[in-house]
Amino acid sequence: MLGSYDFCGHYEWTFEWLREQGGDPLVRVYWDEAIHRDSQTHARELIVAGGIAGMKKYWAHTLDHEAAGFAITHKDDVIRIDMHDCPSKGFLIRNGLAQYRDYCDHCIGWIGPLMKEAGFVIDHAHNHCGQCWWEMRCADDFTPPSAKGELSGQGDVRLRSDWNQAGEMDVFQRATDVDDKTTASPA
Amino acid sequence: MAPDKNPLPYTDTKPVGAADFYFAINATFRFVLRKLGADGLRRYWTHMGTHYHAPVTARWSAGGASAIAAHWRAFFAAEPGAEVEVSERGDIVRLEVKVCPAISHLRANRREIVPCYCQHCYFVSEAIAAPAGFTVRVSGGNGSCRQIFQRRDAQLPPQDFAQIKEATC
């Protein structure tokens, strides 16, 4: 039986298996069709109907359920998530599991299409070490991403001394697609 | 349990998994079936058993039936809502799955379950067990089942897929 306990391990293995079967396009379609539109229908229902309030409800429940180390900050026009200890990526790191080239891409791989449908865009960065941040705003709001500490205070993951530990950062600006990524060396 | 004492090769800091991950497992089966057909789905399960679960095979090869029984006891202890009895007699390990945690959670949340969902238990476990000199037979399904692991030299007839029920909501 495939279990929930080591789910992140066989989920990550599946990305690479799908890539071998049908290339990157099949992986992207998987994240959209299987995860966004099938597995995560509960997220879709909350967020498309409730916008930022729906996002807060979904992530507060999900991240708590997965025992994540995280902070959620929200205002009427933006929601920010600071992930300090991703349970999913952390599981992979601790167990030495790395089949697919960037596991972290799966999040924007399914959340991106969902946000597009709900009328939002994403500013996001991940450091491949189980730490990332997200800001979601309405697509017609051109406010740039917040400065360090501006929205989430001391909970801002970018203030961590180890935020730049990996040597390169994947960055998304006003994105809804995993291919909107740029990879940058940390300043 | 310390990782070096845990019968499971991949360990986490939390004691049990998040049940909502069963949604993604079910959705993945549906996706692979739709894109790659029934043969593709069986290939996915077999490859996962052979490759992702290779450390399990290594433990079963080294420890035989006792390692198989220890694996499943630890496995189901970490699955939310599972009710499973694991027994071992000689080289035979028997799992009596009284409440399958996946089917139970999918059903409780009114998710459409892939009809062949329960077949994955045969294909994944057989791919894990065969290189270790064991084979599995599955009967029942759709929420409760029996899985028996025996030595391959027991000359069992092939798995009868009519003995594995279709899963329903």
Side-chain angles (χ1 to χ4, degrees), chain B residues 84-98:
Chain B
V84 180
E85 286 183 3
V86 179
S87 60
E88 177 190 356
R89 194 180 64 187
D91 277 341
I92 300 175
V93 176
R94 180 185 296 254
L95 313 185
E96 297 285 349
V97 181
K98 296 177 177 177

Side-chain angles (χ1 to χ4, degrees), chain B residues 17-71:
Chain B
D20 283 1
F21 286 144
Y22 297 129
F23 298 159
I25 294 170
N26 181 50
T28 298
F29 294 173
R30 185 165 21 251
F31 177 82
V32 175
L33 182 62
R34 185 168 68 245
K35 296 294 182 184
L36 302 174
D39 287 346
L41 184 55
R42 291 178 173 195
R43 193 169 68 246
Y44 168 66
W45 290 333
T46 298
H47 286 182
M48 182 177 292
T50 301
H51 299 287
Y52 171 74
H53 289 104
V56 179
T57 298
R59 289 169 185 227
W60 292 6
S61 294
S66 294
I68 295 174
H71 172 89

Side-chain angles (χ1 to χ4, degrees), chain A residues 1-7 9-10 13-14 17 21 26 29-30 33-34 38-39 41-42 65-66 91 94-95 97, chain B residues 10-12 14 17-18 21-24 27-28 30-31 34-35 43-44 47-48 52 72 75 78-80 111 120:
Chain A
M1 178 182 165
L2 298 186
S4 64
Y5 177 72
D6 69 331
F7 169 78
H10 53 78
W13 181 91
T14 295
W17 187 84
Q21 306 301 308
L26 189 62
V29 173
Y30 168 69
E33 292 184 7
D38 188 342
S39 170
T41 51
H42 50 305
H65 201 52
E66 293 181 25
F91 176 87
R94 285 191 301 277
N95 287 285
L97 295 170
Chain B
Y10 308 125
T11 57
D12 205 350
K14 59 182 185 295
F21 286 144
Y22 297 129
F23 298 159
T28 298
R30 185 165 21 251
F31 177 82
R34 185 168 68 245
K35 296 294 182 184
R43 193 169 68 246
Y44 168 66
H47 286 182
M48 182 177 292
Y52 171 74
W72 289 117
F75 177 91
E79 294 302 313
R111 294 300 181 107
H120 90 270

